[in-house]
């Protein structure tokens, strides 16, 4: 018996309220780059403001998630699988953004870790137990949380440098700053590689989120060592995208072949 759209309605409403009140506030604060990015602490890993436009894409996809949860397939993964974790993520994310915007960088770093932990838990559940069975599930569940997971990895790096690093506008990059910046870039590129090669098909959205950020850091940073190091790791991270892109193209090609075979089968049977 097919489920009704009202099944799990309480949690569905909670998810919508959290999306509108908490994640919606993130769009107002972050989606379009403006003066807030020039008023915050500028570190040696700070990206160009356009890097934060990835929030817009994530929130738009999550809007689709809120609609998709009212379908039978959506309820199975969002309500029964992810459950209360989405509401928790929305609250933690809103607290993090507000702390960051008010320059409470140390506490914001702690909440960045909590946001990353919450996203990682959701990401694990989605990838481990809910292989996409429809295009809607791929677009409105796997895609936003893969992007979210990759993006929060970047946010943790940005937050730790804002909490404990020097302000690039007033302090030149010393040897230790350069060492930690290089290690941060290496970690981000290695994480992008892990997304790309960690499974048979790879996780393209997660790798793209990190690659996008490395290019934004390259565009924003003027210190020669940081600037060219960011470029080198951005190129390496971009090369990592080749494998998951190829797998995605093969997947679409195989899907079209299967569809053609299924369409052809009734014709063959009817000719007997």
């Amino acid at each position: 018996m097919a489920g009704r759209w009202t099944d799990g309605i309480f949690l569905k409403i909670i998810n919508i309220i959290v999306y509108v009140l908490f994640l919606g506030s993130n769009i107002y604060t972050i989606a379009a780059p403006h003066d807030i990015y020039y008023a915050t602490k500028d570190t040696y890993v700070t990206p160009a403001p356009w890097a934060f436009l990835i929030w817009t894409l994530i929130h738009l996809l999550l809007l689709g998630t809120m609609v998709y949860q009212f379908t039978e397939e959506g309820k199975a993964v969002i309500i029964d699988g992810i459950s209360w974790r989405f509401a928790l993520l929305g609250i933690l994310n809103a607290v993090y953004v507000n702390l960051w915007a008010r320059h409470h960088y140390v506490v914001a770093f702690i909440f960045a870790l909590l946001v990353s932990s919450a996203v990682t838990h959701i990401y694990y559940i989605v990838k481990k137990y809910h292989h996409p069975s429809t295009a809607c599930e791929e677009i409105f569940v796997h895609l936003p949380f893969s992007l979210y997971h990759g993006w929060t990895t970047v946010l943790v790096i940005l937050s730790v440098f804002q909490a404990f690093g020097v302000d690039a506008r007033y302090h030149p990059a010393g040897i230790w700053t350069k060492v930690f910046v290089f290690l941060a870039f290496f970690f981000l590129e290695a994480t992008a590689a892990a997304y790309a090669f960690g499974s048979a098909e790879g996780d393209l959205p997660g790798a793209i989120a990190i690659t996008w950020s490395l290019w934004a850091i390259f565009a924003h940073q003027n210190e020669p060592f940081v600037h060219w190091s960011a470029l080198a790791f951005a190129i390496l991270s971009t090369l990592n995208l080749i494998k998951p892109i190829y797998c995605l193209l093969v997947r679409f090609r195989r899907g079209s072949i299967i569809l053609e075979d299924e369409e052809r089968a009734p014709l063959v049977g009817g000719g007997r």
Side-chain angles (χ1 to χ4, degrees), residues 11-272:
L11 185 53
K12 291 175 181 178
I13 293 174
I14 292 297
N15 286 343
I16 293 173
I17 292 174
V18 167
Y19 176 82
V20 173
L21 297 183
F22 292 95
L23 297 184
S25 69
N26 291 358
I27 297 178
Y28 176 78
T29 306
I30 288 179
H34 51 82
D35 290 345
I36 188 173
Y37 298 105
Y38 300 99
T40 57
K41 184 177 179 179
D42 192 13
T43 72
Y44 285 100
V45 296
T46 299
W50 48 263
F52 295 89
L53 286 172
I54 196 170
W55 276 126
T56 306
L57 177 58
I58 291 172
H59 291 323
L60 287 174
L61 290 169
L62 288 177
L63 178 61
T65 306
M66 294 301 96
V67 177
Y68 183 61
Q69 69 177 338
F70 286 95
T71 67
E72 185 175 357
E73 297 83 2
K75 175 185 176 295
V77 60
I78 300 168
I79 303 303
D80 300 334
I82 297 174
S83 188
W84 51 267
R85 297 172 186 87
F86 177 79
L88 175 62
L89 171 61
I91 295 172
L92 291 173
N93 195 104
V95 174
Y96 161 73
V97 169
N98 281 275
L99 288 169
W100 173 77
R102 289 171 171 77
H103 306 173
H104 301 301
Y105 297 122
V106 175
V107 184
F109 166 65
I110 295 173
F111 272 87
L113 293 175
L114 294 175
V115 170
S116 179
S117 177
V119 174
T120 299
H121 200 180
I122 294 174
Y123 180 82
Y124 174 79
I125 291 172
V126 168
K127 294 296 183 181
K128 180 72 173 179
Y129 301 109
H130 299 278
H131 185 77
S133 57
T134 64
C136 286
E137 185 173 339
E138 182 80 61
I139 295 171
F140 297 126
V141 178
H142 286 256
L143 178 55
F145 288 113
S146 289
L147 283 172
Y148 214 147
H149 193 250
W151 177 236
T152 53
T153 302
V154 177
L155 291 182
V156 169
I157 296 297
L158 300 183
S159 297
V160 71
F161 273 83
Q162 286 190 318
F164 307 109
V166 299
D167 193 319
R169 290 171 293 189
Y170 307 112
H171 301 279
I175 183 63
W176 285 111
T177 295
K178 293 178 180 179
V179 168
F180 286 121
V181 166
F182 187 88
L183 291 175
F185 292 163
F186 176 80
F187 172 77
L188 289 175
E189 190 279 329
T191 304
Y195 279 119
F197 298 98
S199 62
E201 294 184 351
D203 188 337
L204 182 60
I208 286 177
I210 292 179
T211 303
W212 166 269
S213 303
L214 285 170
W215 282 110
I217 294 171
F218 161 70
H220 180 72
Q221 296 296 328
N222 295 317
E223 202 283 331
F225 176 82
V226 176
H227 180 76
W228 296 116
S229 294
L231 174 62
F233 283 106
I235 292 173
L236 290 174
S237 187
T238 302
L239 293 176
N240 290 329
L241 302 180
I242 295 175
K243 185 253 186 181
I245 289 176
Y246 172 77
C247 291
L248 183 64
L249 293 175
V250 170
R251 181 178 168 188
F252 278 127
R253 183 175 179 273
R254 287 176 177 174
S256 64
I257 292 174
I258 292 173
L259 179 60
E260 290 171 0
D261 290 342
E262 290 176 348
E263 290 176 343
R264 194 184 299 118
L267 297 177
V268 175
R272 291 182 180 177

